[in-house]
Amino acid sequence: MFFRMIKGVLLRQKGKMFMIAFTIALGASLATAMLAVMFDVGDKVNQELKTYGANITVVAKEASVVDSLYEVDGASSIPTSYLKEADVGNVKKIFWAFNIVDFAPFIETHVSVDGKDVIMVGSWFNHHLSLDTGEELDAGVVSMRSWWTIEDGAWLDESQEADAKKIMLGTTFAQELGVKAGDTVKVSCGKNSGTYEVAGVYNAGSDEDNEIFAPLDLVQELSGTDGLITSIEVSAITTPDNELSRQAAKDPGKLTVAEYETWYCTAYVSSICYQLQEAIPDAVAKAVRQVAESEGAILDKTQLLMVLITILALIGSALGISNLITASVMERSQEIGLLKAIGAHDRAISGLLLVEMIIVAILGGAVGFGVGYGFAQVIGYTVFNSSINLSPMVIPLVVTLVILVTLAGSIPAIRTVLRLDPAEVLHGR
């Protein structure tokens, strides 16, 4: 009898039940999309931010006095202590190796170009690296400086033997010299000198426009520092800092064993810096503070925005459900009054309404979940150019939220049922 009554209501009021299911589906779809993106957005936002430069710098211990892993002074003088180029590959041998998106070694020296003093920077451009772990990868400034624009000429290409003796000039310095791509300039560094062709003129939008970039081997040869580098820039996907990571950044030795294991096995910028110091001899790894903090702030604000959108969508769904259910109850007031008159208790009638709503919620929630997951993929491919991975947490969260929203929307209708007087309703009052 109970289920026959439910079936009868669903069929007689199929229009209103469809609208309730549709309202639930809308809320569930938006909640599914936002939660799916939120749980998967961390790595994708970090991946996007990696295109704007390194967030970790590795230098020799003697290069600076480091108060903490977060201090980066960015001194403009040329370092007098070096790291070994042979150790650069160790960057990809740490515990969080797969979080290392890109890296490049650098060496700087003062040179004279046609009588004008300038800083010359040597680095990899699109250097192919074969690690002893079996991994093959390309690294260098072409991807590390992806925001640079080439005003004239082209990027140096390390796969072309002819480019090994070419250089690139910043726009400001090129204009000062009055040279363009294809011209040659004489570069002197102490007793060493050479004439090199300008492969391209880049616009960095920073002080690097006043510098020269060249292949690492070329600068090492000019400066007499074969096999040496001054720094390594590392672009890593990291987890936003919290109190544990900030405490560890000051002194990992003060952590308990459990705290240390949690910190070491989480991709905080401080733990990655610590592991880089373990992997590269006589090195200090430092987070680029502005980049690291900006990444965490952007990620936190992005996730907060998604949570707020989800909450507002569910509130809207709850209000819509409440109005529709209340209207449905008022249409059935005589039926409910008759049930009360023949002895049905308020609890039984409330249970009948709740079962009806849960059945509709299941149908609407299932449709909404499917639509929401599809919407999440649209967001993923539109914003991040990749799919959104569905976290196992999303399904139970959506189910819980749909049930809570349905119950919240049903409360006003249940209160209306409890206030109905059978005598008044049956007499049409």
Side-chain angles (χ1 to χ4, degrees):
M1 183 68 179
F2 182 79
F3 291 103
R4 286 177 62 189
M5 291 177 66
I6 292 175
K7 180 181 177 182
V9 171
L10 293 178
L11 292 175
R12 286 197 312 273
Q13 292 194 319
K14 54 180 178 292
K16 276 195 171 54
M17 294 303 166
F18 174 79
M19 289 303 300
I20 293 171
F22 182 72
T23 304
I24 293 171
L26 283 178
S29 64
L30 194 53
T32 300
M34 291 298 101
L35 290 172
V37 174
M38 187 182 73
F39 280 111
D40 196 45
V41 75
D43 287 353
K44 288 179 170 57
V45 169
N46 272 318
Q47 186 75 42
E48 290 293 317
L49 291 172
K50 294 309 112 188
T51 62
Y52 297 101
N55 54 353
I56 298 173
T57 302
V58 183
V59 297
K61 284 183 179 179
E62 297 82 0
S64 62
V65 177
V66 181
D67 294 327
S68 74
L69 292 172
Y70 288 102
E71 296 296 331
V72 175
D73 295 325
S76 59
S77 59
I78 302 300
T80 56
S81 53
Y82 302 92
L83 299 170
K84 294 180 180 178
E85 182 185 356
D87 294 328
V88 175
N90 293 351
V91 167
K92 292 291 286 183
K93 297 180 182 179
I94 65 172
F95 180 82
W96 286 107
F98 288 108
N99 280 49
I100 304 298
V101 177
D102 206 351
F103 59 96
F106 293 85
I107 188 165
E108 300 177 352
T109 187
H110 286 294
V111 299
S112 176
V113 179
D114 294 343
K116 298 181 182 294
D117 291 335
V118 66
I119 293 176
M120 190 173 197
V121 182
S123 184
W124 294 345
F125 282 80
N126 54 337
H127 187 78
H128 185 75
L129 202 61
S130 299
L131 303 177
D132 53 17
T133 59
E135 185 177 358
E136 303 280 334
L137 56 90
D138 292 323
V141 294
V142 173
S143 53
M144 292 286 288
R145 301 288 193 272
S146 59
W147 66 93
W148 283 11
T149 56
I150 305 302
E151 302 289 337
D152 187 21
W155 279 107
L156 286 173
D157 185 354
E158 292 193 21
S159 64
Q160 303 296 321
E161 187 176 347
D163 282 6
K165 295 299 181 181
K166 293 182 181 180
I167 63 175
M168 298 186 70
L169 305 183
T171 52
T172 304
F173 190 65
Q175 290 170 2
E176 186 178 345
L177 288 179
V179 299
K180 59 184 183 300
D183 293 343
T184 58
V185 294
K186 183 178 180 180
V187 181
S188 302
C189 180
K191 296 180 180 180
N192 300 323
S193 64
T195 300
Y196 306 101
E197 181 182 339
V198 177
V201 177
Y202 62 84
N203 184 350
S206 64
D207 291 340
E208 290 172 321
D209 288 335
N210 294 298
E211 299 175 352
I212 299 175
F213 271 70
L216 186 63
D217 292 343
L218 188 153
V219 179
Q220 289 172 336
E221 182 182 348
L222 267 177
S223 60
T225 54
D226 291 344
L228 301 178
I229 57 174
T230 52
S231 65
I232 307 170
E233 290 188 7
V234 179
S235 184
I237 296 174
T238 59
T239 299
D241 283 341
N242 57 17
E243 187 58 35
L244 174 62
S245 65
R246 285 187 281 271
Q247 181 182 348
K250 295 176 182 177
D251 186 1
K254 292 184 178 180
L255 301 178
T256 64
V257 174
E259 288 175 335
Y260 179 85
E261 289 180 353
T262 300
W263 168 71
Y264 193 90
C265 296
T266 305
Y268 298 121
V269 67
S270 56
S271 63
I272 292 178
C273 285
Y274 186 80
Q275 291 167 28
L276 288 171
Q277 290 179 176
E278 291 180 321
I280 302 172
D282 299 319
V284 171
K286 305 177 289 185
V288 181
R289 189 170 208 157
Q290 295 87 343
V291 176
E293 290 181 349
S294 295
E295 289 175 356
I298 291 171
L299 182 58
D300 288 342
K301 290 177 181 178
T302 302
Q303 292 177 330
L304 176 60
L305 176 62
M306 292 179 180
V307 170
L308 290 175
I309 291 173
T310 302
I311 291 173
L312 291 174
L314 293 175
I315 290 174
S317 294
L319 292 174
I321 292 168
S322 176
N323 290 332
L324 288 167
I325 296 176
T326 302
S328 172
V329 168
M330 295 308 296
E331 285 184 8
R332 298 164 57 194
S333 58
Q334 288 190 338
E335 174 191 335
I336 295 171
L338 181 59
L339 287 173
K340 282 191 171 187
I342 62 177
H345 297 289
D346 289 339
R347 183 181 299 178
I349 297 173
S350 299
L352 176 66
L353 290 173
L354 285 177
V355 171
E356 292 170 3
M357 290 307 103
I358 289 174
I359 292 173
V360 174
I362 291 172
L363 296 174
V367 172
F369 181 84
V371 173
Y373 182 67
F375 185 40
Q377 300 309 312
V378 172
I379 295 174
Y381 281 105
T382 302
V383 179
F384 304 110
N385 198 31
S386 65
S387 63
I388 297 294
N389 297 319
L390 187 64
S391 169
M393 287 291 293
V394 173
I395 296 176
L397 271 175
V398 171
V399 170
T400 302
L401 290 172
V402 166
I403 292 173
L404 290 176
V405 166
T406 303
L407 291 176
S410 303
I411 289 174
I414 293 174
R415 293 178 63 184
T416 300
V417 167
L418 297 179
R419 289 197 300 265
L420 285 176
D421 186 334
E424 293 182 356
V425 170
L426 294 175
H427 283 84
R429 298 175 187 172

